[in-house]
């Protein structure tokens, strides 16, 4: 072969091989699972790109077109259910603590209620005792007041006049009632002044016998007068007398006569009359 021809063929062969050889790619270098910045690749379809995808870090989003959407929804539901269960457990624990606190508070209140009930019972018993003592004291005071009025009588309905002499009026009224010249300690008007009504004349006698005589005779001897004589009663005795006045009037119409003495309506035998038995 001609050396020149062989040389040209050699040149042609190298030139031909240069045109048919694929472009040279620099081999990628890995640093900590990543491609170095000097790594190059021409297309996502090359081996270099696939190597980069395989060695990509976990925290970087990786497109996975083969994932099933139902799997993603299922995982989302499971995650939500876990959060709901955790929240329900927390609520249950909080509710349990609140229930324990409430039960403890109820026990404290029940114990307090027992103590309060005991105190109330003790106070009720004390009130009953005090009411009994108060009743006794009222009766005792009323008895002493009744005794202080023992010799007193009242002239009711006598017309009042300016500068009147109550002792002189009482002497005249007692004379009409059949008791001449009784010994009078004092006499004066008593009570609240009301329009159209004359105040009572309160008279204190020296002798109790004169009072008894006046009360016995005045109904008969003063029946045609505008005034009358009555006993000087305490507030409690007056209330008791008025409480049974209608029953006393009915009994008088049927022939049963009662008199008021010592704070009680009494029969002919002097014993308190039992109205409840009628």
């Amino acid at each position: 072969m001609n050396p020149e021809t062989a040389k040209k063929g050699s040149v042609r062969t190298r030139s031909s091989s240069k045109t048919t050889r694929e472009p040279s790619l620099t081999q990628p270098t890995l640093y900590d699972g990543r491609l170095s910045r000097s790594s190059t690749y021409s297309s996502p379809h090359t081996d270099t790109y696939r190597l980069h995808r395989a060695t990509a870090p976990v925290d970087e989003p990786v497109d996975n077109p083969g994932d099933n959407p139902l799997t993603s929804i299922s995982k989302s539901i499971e995650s939500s259910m876990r959060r709901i269960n955790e929240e329900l457990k927390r609520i249950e624990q909080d509710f349990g603590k609140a229930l324990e606190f409430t039960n403890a508070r109820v026990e404290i209140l029940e114990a307090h209620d027992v103590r309060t009930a005991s105190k109330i019972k003790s106070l009720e018993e004390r009130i009953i005792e005090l009411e009994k003592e108060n009743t006794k004291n009222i009766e005792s005071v009323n008895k002493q007041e009744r005794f202080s009025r023992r010799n007193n009588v009242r002239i009711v309905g006598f017309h009042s006049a300016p500068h009147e002499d109550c002792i002189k009026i009482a002497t005249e009224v007692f004379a009409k009632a059949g008791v001449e010249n009784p010994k009078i300690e004092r006499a004066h008007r008593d009570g609240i002044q009301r329009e159209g009504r004359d105040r009572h004349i309160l008279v204190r006698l020296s002798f109790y016998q004169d009072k008894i005589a006046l009360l016995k005779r005045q109904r008969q001897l003063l029946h045609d007068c505008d005034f009358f004589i009555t006993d000087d009663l305490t507030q409690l005795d007056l209330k008791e007398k008025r409480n049974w006045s209608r029953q006393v009037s009915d009994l008088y119409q049927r022939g049963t006569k009662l008199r008021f003495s010592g704070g009680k309506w009494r029969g002919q035998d002097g014993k308190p009359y039992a109205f409840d038995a009628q």
Side-chain angles (χ1 to χ4, degrees):
M1 179 180 291
N2 189 354
E4 187 175 344
T5 305
K7 185 177 179 180
K8 291 182 180 180
S10 174
V11 172
R12 188 182 298 111
T13 304
R14 285 196 299 266
S15 176
S16 174
S17 62
K18 185 181 294 186
T19 55
T20 60
R21 185 183 300 176
E22 294 182 359
S24 175
L25 297 176
T26 303
Q27 181 67 28
T29 304
L30 296 177
Y31 294 98
D32 297 332
R34 298 175 180 269
L35 289 172
S36 72
R37 297 181 180 274
S38 62
S39 301
T40 59
Y41 48 91
S42 60
S43 170
H45 301 289
T46 64
D47 295 337
T48 305
Y49 178 80
R50 286 193 292 271
L51 177 62
H52 171 73
R53 296 295 295 173
T55 59
V58 177
D59 55 350
E60 292 185 0
V62 178
D63 296 335
N64 189 1
D67 286 346
N68 190 348
L70 295 178
T71 304
S72 177
I73 295 174
S74 177
K75 292 180 179 180
S76 177
I77 293 175
E78 291 177 357
S79 177
S80 299
M81 291 299 297
R82 282 195 300 269
R83 290 196 299 269
I84 292 172
N85 290 334
E86 292 174 357
E87 185 68 17
L88 288 176
K89 289 181 179 179
R90 187 187 64 78
I91 294 173
E92 184 178 0
Q93 292 176 354
D94 293 343
F95 181 77
K97 293 179 181 179
L99 185 60
E100 290 178 0
F101 175 80
T102 303
N103 291 336
R105 185 61 178 168
V106 169
E107 291 177 358
I108 294 174
L109 292 176
E110 287 177 349
H112 179 73
D113 184 60
V114 171
R115 292 193 299 270
T116 303
S118 178
K119 290 181 180 179
I120 291 175
K121 183 178 180 181
S122 176
L123 290 174
E124 288 176 347
E125 293 175 353
R126 181 58 178 163
I127 289 173
I128 293 174
E129 293 177 0
L130 291 175
E131 287 178 347
K132 292 180 179 179
E133 293 179 3
N134 186 50
T135 301
K136 291 181 180 179
N137 292 334
I138 291 175
E139 291 177 353
S140 177
V141 171
N142 188 61
K143 185 176 180 180
Q144 293 176 6
E145 185 180 359
R146 185 188 300 145
F147 183 79
S148 69
R149 301 176 183 227
R150 187 169 184 268
N151 292 352
N152 294 353
V153 293
R154 289 178 177 269
I155 301 174
V156 182
F158 196 91
H159 182 66
S160 60
H163 310 293
E164 61 187 6
D165 186 348
C166 291
I167 292 180
K168 181 179 179 180
I169 293 174
T171 301
E172 294 174 354
V173 170
F174 293 164
K176 289 184 178 181
V179 179
E180 298 288 343
N181 300 321
K183 189 172 183 180
I184 300 174
E185 293 185 7
R186 65 178 63 90
H188 58 83
R189 293 280 179 177
D190 180 67
I192 301 174
Q193 181 67 51
R194 291 186 176 87
E195 184 178 357
R197 296 182 61 180
D198 296 303
R199 294 191 299 162
H200 299 177
I201 298 177
L202 179 61
V203 183
R204 184 176 183 86
L205 299 167
S206 297
F207 301 103
Y208 180 71
Q209 290 79 5
D210 291 340
K211 173 182 177 178
I212 297 301
L214 286 170
L215 294 178
K216 285 183 177 179
R217 299 174 184 177
Q218 68 91 22
R219 182 184 293 273
Q220 180 180 1
L221 297 176
L222 300 179
H223 68 279
D224 58 346
C225 298
D226 296 333
F227 52 85
F228 60 92
I229 301 172
T230 187
D231 194 4
D232 182 29
L233 302 176
T234 65
Q235 290 295 325
L236 290 179
D237 290 349
L238 183 60
K239 182 179 180 180
E240 179 68 15
K241 181 179 181 180
R242 290 175 175 174
N243 188 39
W244 302 103
S245 60
R246 184 177 60 82
Q247 289 85 340
V248 171
S249 178
D250 293 340
L251 289 171
Y252 183 80
Q253 297 295 331
R254 296 198 298 265
T256 301
K257 296 181 180 180
L258 303 178
R259 63 185 182 88
F260 193 83
S261 177
K264 301 290 182 182
W265 283 104
R266 302 178 185 274
Q268 297 299 322
D269 55 0
K271 295 181 181 181
Y273 189 82
F275 291 99
D276 296 338
Q278 300 298 317

